Every structure is written in C-alpha cells, then in structure tokens.
Amino acid sequence: MIALVTGANRGLGRETARQLLAGGHTVLVAARQEDAARDTAAQLGEGAYPLRLDVTGTADIAAAAEQVRERFGHLDVLVNNAAIHYDTWQHAVGADLAVVREAAETNVFGPWQLVQALLPLLRAGSHQRIVNVSSGAGSLTEMTTGSTPAYSLTKAALNALTRMLAADLRDDGILVNAVCPGWVATDMGGPGGRPVSEGAAGIVWAATLPDGGPTGGFFRDRLPIAW
Ligand code: NAP
C-alpha cells in the first residue's frame, strides 16, 4: 500500500508516517522543504520516500503528483495533515482576515487541490482512504466563542469538504473521513498535550479502515464526534 502524508517532517505528520511504515505501508514523506523531506525519510528508514510538496503551490502539487505517478503508478492513502495558524491571539470580531485567508490556502484549498490532482492515482489504487486531519476547534457544535477564528473556520470548511468528497467518491469505494487527533504536544499544540503516538493512532485508524468502513465521518480516537 502506498500512502502520502503531507507535513510529514514533524509533529503528527511525522508520527503518522512512522506508524504507517510500521504497519507495512510504503510512505511518501511530503514536506515543503526538500531537505526536511529527505532527512525525515532517511530517519524513518526503509519504505519511506521523500517528496517535496508545499500544499499551497499549484505547480508543486502537479509536480508531486507526477513523481508519484512515475514512481508508483498509483496511490492508496492520502493523509492531509499539513496545517497552519492556530490563532489563539485573535477573536472573530477583530480578526486579521489576511491571516484567515492564508490559513484557508493551507488548511482547505491545499487539501482540496491535492485530492483533485491525486484522484487519477487514487482511482488506480486499492482500499483507498483519504484522511483530513481536522480539529474539534472546527466543530460547529463546540463553537461557542470567537476564538482561534482562522483555525476554527478553516477546519469547519475542511469538515464540509470531507462530507462533499465522501459523497462524490462513495461509488469509487474511496473512504473519506475527518479526524481530530485530540490535544497533542507538538509545535502547534504546545506543551501539555498527549503524546504524538496517541494522536496519530486515530489518523492511522482512518487511513487503514477496512472496506465497508465509515465514510463522511468526523472521529476522535475512533469514535464519532459532533460536527
Ligand atoms: P505542527 O507541529 O505545527 O506541524 C505542521 C506541519 O505542517 C509541519 O510539517 C509543517 O511544515 C507543515 N506545513 C505547514 N504549511 C505547509 C504547507 N504549505 N505545505 C506543506 N506542509 C506544510 O502541527 P501538528 O500539531 O503536528 O498538527 C498536524 C495536524 O493536526 C494539523 O492539521 C493540525 O491542525 C491538527 N491538529 C493538531 C492538534 C494538536 O494539538 N497538535 C489538535 C487538533 C488538530 P514546516 O515544518 O515546513 O513548517
């Protein structure tokens, strides 16, 4: 099985790649810096291949898709993990919309464009899964304050995208789910969160669901959570 993980050079992306490798997958370790992709893939070892991929770059996405096609001819699993701007410093009422737009490029349009570019390769794959790494911060039900507006808005949009892609790809047998990893101690999550291994486990679960498994859902620790 061939898997591609975006933002795989650190944090949850790196740990997701590590766990998928341990499960026997071949993993494309995608990172926006070429040396970061190369170093991480080398550290993760056999079965890990570096891929330079800035998810905001149309040319980058096309080049990455072409590399995957040339090398493997298909893709089975896509984990849209890369994200930015956990904007704890602002509220919706006074939010800098430039920050919100920038977040949307990485957190929403990046995954969307990547799915579109990789779809021919996914259609050529087997037991195909797309995991959109989301957050409870994007839950409309939980959205009772205007805090982290760029992050919350873009994760809610990613959840909406998950529903739409799941519906569009249901007949292809491609399962598409959103996963919140919980609060995890990474650069983004900061100290105090749980270990990356625990957060990544739920992502890997969604990436390796059996045929006939759920699609169009929002999960944390394998359990459905409120949109
Ligand atoms: P992180 O430590 O900040 O890592 C983010 C990763 O995304 C880095 O590898 C970064 O690459 C990459 N990235 C950012 N912009 C990119 C771009 N344009 N193209 C490609 N890669 C890009 O974050 P994390 O905590 O591991 O979070 C991973 C995912 O889990 C995110 O979707 C996040 O929203 C979600 N999440 C995290 C928590 C938490 O508590 N940590 C909670 C809920 C959800 P560089 O190294 O080049 O910057």
Side-chain angles (χ1 to χ4, degrees), residues 36-51:
R38 196 184 51 234
D39 293 350
T40 307
Q43 287 158 13
L44 289 173
E46 198 179 340
Y49 293 85
L51 186 68

Side-chain angles (χ1 to χ4, degrees), residues 5-17 29-32 36 40 44 81-84 186-189 196:
V5 182
T6 65
N9 55 301
R10 58 188 169 101
L12 281 154
R14 182 193 169 99
E15 175 62 15
T16 298
V29 175
R32 57 180 160 174
T40 307
L44 289 173
N81 166 78
I84 56 168
T186 62
D187 294 337
M188 180 186 282
V196 280

